[in-house]
Amino acid sequence: MVALFCDAWGQPTDLRLGEPSEATPGPGEIAVQAHAAALNFADTLMIAGKYQVKPPFPFTPGFEAAGEVTAVGEGVSGFAVGDRVFCALQNGGLSSRIVAPAKRVFPIPDSMDFQTAAAWPVIYGTSHIALVHRGHLQAGETLLVLGATSGVGLAAIEIGKALGARVIAQVRGPAKATAALQAGADAVVDTQSEDLRDAVKGLTDGKGADVVYDPLGGDLFDQSLRCVNWDARLLIVGFAAGRIQQIPANVLLVKGVAAVGVFWNAHFIHTPGLLRQSFAGLARMWSEGALRPLIRTNLPASDYARAYAMLLDRAEPGKIVLTLAD
């Protein structure tokens, strides 16, 4: 059994490898023996004390993991010991012993392995809620995905195609253009060499995109405002570019555009039933072969420092998964 601990705000290299405590679920909780966990950029923010949630020390970071149920707390229904599940957590995922609220535990789709299941909740959950329930993307509409080779970007491409949309992927560089096309994008705009507005307008006969999926913010969001169709929906997913944009309300008014915030984790508080419905929809897409999660590498938990270095270099697309010791 293994777990990673954060004893003070710092860098991922400051984490401590140790032994997790016994997992005993209380009322409304489920204990899971995790076999795999996935890394997210938000892990590094939490470790540095820059995330909106600041757990007391020592804490175990990690938002997503997958394994088997070992015990079920009082009042929990629908789960049994031995069930294969994935967890979408506020923290605690980088441990081979997890105790999670039942609302944060979901069944693993048939034929999906633990490594893939660990890389599944955040990127696919976020993108599905964004496109289906917040953006109301319809078949035949044009979806513009900014930062298309990020984890959520690749998931958005696949989900957009599964919903019957035409997908335009914004990337930087030929290698990322290839990755976006391999994920199913109909067209790419390489903003290293192309103007986003001109390219999107050219690809849509001057109409622009109906839905913009934006995990970046900053300059690209500003540019996307200039290439949207009437009645478009701008999905604000994150600010990975580093600048939180100021939205000119007059543009929203004139073009009839809706700017919609997508804070996926808040749905566990406000609409947990919607998340279970969302993951059921994703499971159907998986069973139909529409979704193919891209895992960049799978490393042992003891290699966590190298894994986080790979996460931060962003040189290649795909999730980074840690295998947790049995």
Side-chain angles (χ1 to χ4, degrees):
M1 297 293 175
V2 65
L4 293 172
F5 296 96
C6 180
D7 297 312
W9 306 129
Q11 303 298 318
T13 50
D14 300 322
L15 293 176
R16 169 173 56 88
L17 199 64
E19 178 81 8
S21 58
E22 292 294 329
T24 303
E29 295 181 331
I30 296 174
V32 177
Q33 180 176 334
H35 298 289
L39 305 188
N40 289 276
F41 178 72
D43 295 349
T44 67
L45 298 178
M46 183 175 284
I47 293 164
K50 297 178 180 179
Y51 194 64
Q52 52 261 47
V53 177
K54 295 180 174 61
F57 299 121
F59 69 87
T60 293
F63 294 94
E64 46 192 354
E68 298 171 277
V69 173
T70 57
V72 176
E74 180 183 351
V76 174
S77 61
F79 293 93
V81 172
D83 284 354
R84 300 169 68 250
V85 296
F86 64 84
C87 306
L89 305 163
Q90 287 188 302
N91 57 72
L94 296 176
S95 173
S96 52
R97 290 189 182 124
I98 294 171
V99 174
K103 67 181 179 181
R104 290 184 172 271
V105 180
F106 302 85
I108 294 177
D110 293 341
S111 78
M112 182 182 285
D113 59 42
F114 288 123
Q115 286 71 31
T116 303
W120 174 263
V122 171
I123 60 173
Y124 283 93
T126 298
S127 296
H128 190 269
I129 285 287
L131 295 175
V132 174
H133 300 286
R134 300 293 286 160
H136 306 291
L137 180 66
Q138 302 298 309
E141 289 190 315
T142 296
L143 168 66
L144 170 61
V145 180
L146 305 182
T149 56
S150 64
V152 290
L154 290 172
I157 291 173
E158 292 185 338
I159 294 169
K161 290 303 297 178
L163 294 171
R166 182 188 184 209
V167 179
I168 300 173
Q170 177 275 323
V171 301
R172 288 184 61 82
K176 292 185 176 181
T178 298
L181 290 169
Q182 289 175 341
D186 296 287
V188 296
V189 177
D190 183 351
T191 51
Q192 278 189 342
S193 57
E194 298 177 88
D195 178 80
L196 183 67
R197 177 191 179 280
D198 291 345
V200 172
K201 287 285 191 176
L203 289 165
T204 58
D205 296 325
K207 294 179 181 179
D210 300 296
V211 176
V212 178
Y213 182 96
D214 179 21
L216 301 178
D219 293 345
L220 281 171
F221 177 91
D222 297 342
Q223 294 170 35
S224 72
L225 270 176
R226 301 167 57 230
C227 57
V228 290
N229 199 357
W230 164 257
D231 198 30
R233 287 84 76 199
L234 299 172
L235 302 176
I236 302 168
V237 181
F239 310 103
R243 178 174 68 84
I244 298 175
Q245 63 273 16
Q246 301 299 306
I247 304 172
N250 62 316
V251 176
L252 302 185
L253 185 151
V254 171
K255 291 191 174 184
V257 174
V260 184
V262 182
F263 184 25
W264 177 70
N265 204 39
H267 287 280
F268 285 101
I269 300 170
H270 301 291
T271 57
L274 181 61
L275 289 174
R276 208 158 289 282
Q277 177 186 336
S278 173
F279 278 122
L282 284 165
R284 288 191 294 272
M285 290 180 180
W286 164 267
S287 68
E288 294 164 358
L291 309 179
R292 303 176 302 279
L294 177 62
I295 296 177
R296 177 178 172 185
T297 190
N298 187 0
L299 296 171
S302 58
D303 248 355
Y304 67 90
R306 182 160 69 100
Y308 272 113
M310 294 174 68
L311 173 76
L312 292 171
D313 73 19
R314 300 182 182 180
E316 298 177 31
K319 292 283 283 188
I320 296 173
V321 175
L322 295 183
T323 298
L324 304 171
D326 294 329

